[in-house]
Amino acid sequence: MRKEVLTLALKTYNPAAKTQADAAQKKVVDYNQSNPYLEKITTAANSAANQGAFVYEQPRPTYADPYGDKLSAARDLAANFTYEQPRPTYTNRYAEKIDATLNDAVNMPAFSYDAAKDPAFQAYQKQYAREGERAVQDAIGKAAAANGGAVSTAGMTAAVQAGQNYAGQLTDKIPQLYEQAYNRYLNEYKRKVNNLGLLQGQEATEYGRSRDALGDWETDRNWEYNRRMNALGVFQDADTTAYSRHRDAVGDHESDRNWKYGLHQDEQDRRLNMVDLYRTLENDDRTRLADTADRLSAIETAQTNNALNLWAQLGYATEDVAAALGIPVGTKYTATTSSSSSSKGTGEKSVYNGLGFPTKYEDYIEKAIQSNDGSDEGKRAALLYMYNIAAADDTYDLLDNDMLNRMLGMANLTRSEFDAFVTEYEGGNTDAAKGSQDQQGNNWWSRLAAVLGMSK
């Protein structure tokens, strides 16, 4: 309906409206320069002035500031405030140890096992070698005793088997020794990790205490500064009270003077009747000319504003819009071209005002339009600016859903995109969520807010 009303208003566009408005304004200027009543008014005013000037004998009260020096001293103390206590600093005494322990743990060689180099295996090897040799000798001795001192083939075979039995037992020990070596490797790694944790814990404790010391320092500094500011406030209040009473005295003086001046004016008013008569005639003529000029100017301004609003809604300049604004037919509407293309002196903020947008949000709308360059990051930036408009409106309550949707459309955004953005943004705006995003290296919300110079 609004579009049809604006279109109908432009159908009555009169190209001569500006010429007529300018001509009417010129008549006002010409009248002011050749005022036919000026000489008569001057003569009548001089006659009234012959009554004599008003004289009031009472001196005007003067003010001697009783707190000037004290207030100045207190202001200097506050303005030149310095806190003598040095600011606590923190030195990490464990940085090198933590780095060394961390590197030791991270760069620990991968586990490998060589039985020949294992002292436990070597000990078992010697033990089983002795036991195997002993078993061979026992088997040979028993075979020789059973065969009259001679060792039979069967006896030698039995002796060899006895030695091989101990060699097999030694081989069976290798898996056990491997597991023991791996456990020693794991224990060594755990020891290094535990040492790292102890060092980090101690460093965190000392850092926390340094933060406490810094907090105490800031508390003491702020207390001293506030003490000086409170003293300044006391003197300011006293100075304000003294000055207020002085102003009361001045007011009493002026009231008495004005009352006596009124008596003087009553006499003069009688002489000014003729002046008032000429001025009334003069004002009647000037008002008539000014009313005509204002009416014609209002017609021309209304046509311009209707053209701007219709251009913004349609997105291009129709013949009526082009004729009213002095631009080519078909010119595309943007927030910047609307301010530069119009020769009527109407800037881009008036275009937004013409669309009904609150002045408080114009800069954010413009930034959202400029940010949405088609990239994902640009769209997120534009959504963040629109989010700030909605957040601010919780306080000012100037928007309705239709107006917000129109703003989103100007920034090439949809309402569904905006609602999804709000849900995701506010859902991730908790300490736990931000911490999780930081760990994943994907906290683009904080990066985007930093780029835009805004805070979440």
Side-chain angles (χ1 to χ4, degrees):
M1 180 61 182
R2 177 177 172 83
K3 187 188 300 182
E4 286 74 8
V5 171
L6 294 174
T7 303
L8 180 60
L10 286 181
K11 290 297 184 182
T12 62
Y13 174 69
N14 178 9
K18 180 169 179 57
T19 301
Q20 294 172 354
D22 291 343
Q25 289 291 347
K26 186 176 184 304
K27 288 182 180 181
V28 174
V29 174
D30 291 343
Y31 181 83
N32 290 333
Q33 292 177 347
S34 59
N35 188 343
Y37 295 100
L38 183 59
E39 183 177 353
K40 295 178 181 180
I41 291 174
T42 301
T43 302
N46 288 333
S47 176
N50 290 332
Q51 177 189 354
F54 172 75
V55 178
Y56 185 62
E57 300 295 339
Q58 297 296 325
R60 183 184 185 89
T62 58
Y63 179 66
D65 188 356
Y67 297 99
D69 294 340
K70 294 179 180 179
L71 180 60
S72 178
R75 186 181 294 111
D76 288 342
L77 283 175
N80 300 320
F81 171 75
T82 57
Y83 192 55
E84 301 299 333
Q85 297 297 325
R87 181 185 182 92
T89 59
Y90 174 69
T91 301
N92 187 351
R93 301 187 300 129
Y94 299 92
E96 293 184 2
K97 291 183 179 179
I98 289 175
D99 289 342
T101 305
L102 177 62
N103 289 333
D104 193 20
V106 171
N107 297 322
M108 187 173 177
F111 175 76
S112 63
Y113 181 72
D114 186 355
K117 296 180 180 179
D118 186 357
F121 177 80
Q122 294 172 358
Y124 276 117
Q125 190 177 39
K126 292 179 180 180
Q127 176 185 348
Y128 282 104
R130 289 195 303 270
E131 296 297 330
E133 180 66 22
R134 186 179 297 112
V136 169
Q137 295 300 327
D138 288 346
I140 292 175
K142 289 178 181 179
N147 199 25
V151 180
S152 65
T153 301
M156 289 299 296
T157 301
V160 172
Q161 289 178 345
Q164 290 177 344
N165 181 49
Y166 278 96
Q169 292 182 35
L170 176 61
T171 301
D172 292 340
K173 282 288 184 180
I174 291 177
Q176 177 184 349
L177 295 174
Y178 178 91
E179 183 176 358
Q180 292 175 352
Y182 184 67
N183 288 334
R184 288 194 300 273
Y185 175 85
L186 290 180
N187 290 335
E188 176 63 15
Y189 178 75
K190 292 177 181 179
R191 182 186 68 79
K192 293 180 178 181
V193 172
N194 289 338
N195 288 343
L196 176 62
L198 291 173
L199 290 171
Q200 289 174 329
Q202 184 61 30
E203 190 275 335
T205 298
E206 293 191 7
Y207 178 74
R209 291 175 180 174
S210 75
R211 296 301 300 174
D212 292 341
L214 179 59
D216 294 340
W217 180 85
E218 291 177 341
T219 298
D220 293 342
R221 179 198 60 186
N222 294 342
W223 182 89
E224 177 62 23
Y225 179 74
N226 289 334
R227 183 184 68 82
R228 299 191 183 193
M229 292 301 296
N230 290 336
L232 175 61
V234 170
F235 286 117
Q236 286 175 332
D237 291 342
D239 180 73
T240 299
T241 300
Y243 184 72
S244 177
R245 291 177 179 175
H246 162 71
R247 293 307 302 171
D248 290 342
V250 171
D252 294 340
H253 169 84
E254 292 176 345
S255 295
D256 183 65
R257 181 196 62 190
N258 292 341
W259 180 78
K260 292 181 179 179
Y261 181 71
L263 296 178
H264 176 81
Q265 285 297 102
D266 288 342
E267 173 61 22
Q268 191 177 40
D269 285 345
R270 183 181 62 82
R271 304 184 184 191
L272 291 175
N273 288 335
M274 189 59 68
V275 176
D276 291 340
L277 174 62
Y278 288 134
R279 284 179 175 169
T280 299
L281 294 174
E282 174 198 43
N283 288 335
D284 288 345
D285 287 349
R286 182 181 287 111
T287 299
R288 176 176 52 79
L289 294 174
D291 288 345
T292 300
D294 291 343
R295 177 176 56 81
L296 294 174
S297 178
I299 293 174
E300 195 269 338
T301 301
Q303 290 180 155
T304 299
N305 289 337
N306 287 339
L308 284 171
N309 292 333
L310 185 59
W311 187 23
Q313 291 195 16
L314 295 176
Y316 66 94
T318 63
E319 290 184 3
D320 294 325
V321 169
L325 299 181
I327 59 176
V329 175
T331 300
K332 298 296 183 181
Y333 172 85
T334 65
T336 54
T337 59
S338 67
S339 63
S340 60
S341 297
S342 173
S343 61
K344 305 296 187 292
T346 302
E348 60 181 338
K349 292 187 181 299
S350 65
V351 175
Y352 291 137
N353 290 338
L355 295 175
F357 296 165
T359 303
K360 291 178 179 294
Y361 308 137
E362 290 173 355
D363 289 340
Y364 279 116
I365 299 172
E366 186 61 23
K367 289 178 180 178
I369 294 172
Q370 295 174 356
S371 298
N372 195 3
D373 56 2
S375 66
D376 290 342
E377 200 73 3
K379 177 171 288 188
R380 289 169 178 163
L383 286 167
L384 187 57
Y385 280 119
M386 296 306 299
Y387 177 87
N388 276 273
I389 291 177
D393 199 65
D394 290 340
T395 300
Y396 297 112
D397 194 23
L398 301 175
L399 292 179
D400 54 32
N401 284 333
D402 181 66
M403 192 178 296
L404 179 59
N405 290 337
R406 291 169 65 194
M407 290 181 178
L408 291 168
M410 290 185 70
N412 199 23
L413 301 169
T414 66
R415 184 58 184 262
S416 60
E417 289 174 335
F418 177 76
D419 291 340
F421 176 91
V422 172
T423 300
E424 184 176 0
Y425 180 81
E426 294 183 346
N429 197 19
T430 62
D431 291 339
K434 287 190 289 186
S436 174
Q437 291 168 342
D438 287 336
Q439 293 172 4
Q440 297 171 9
N442 192 31
N443 190 2
W444 64 268
W445 300 108
S446 296
R447 297 200 313 273
L448 178 58
V451 170
L452 298 176
M454 307 174 68
S455 58
K456 290 177 62 176

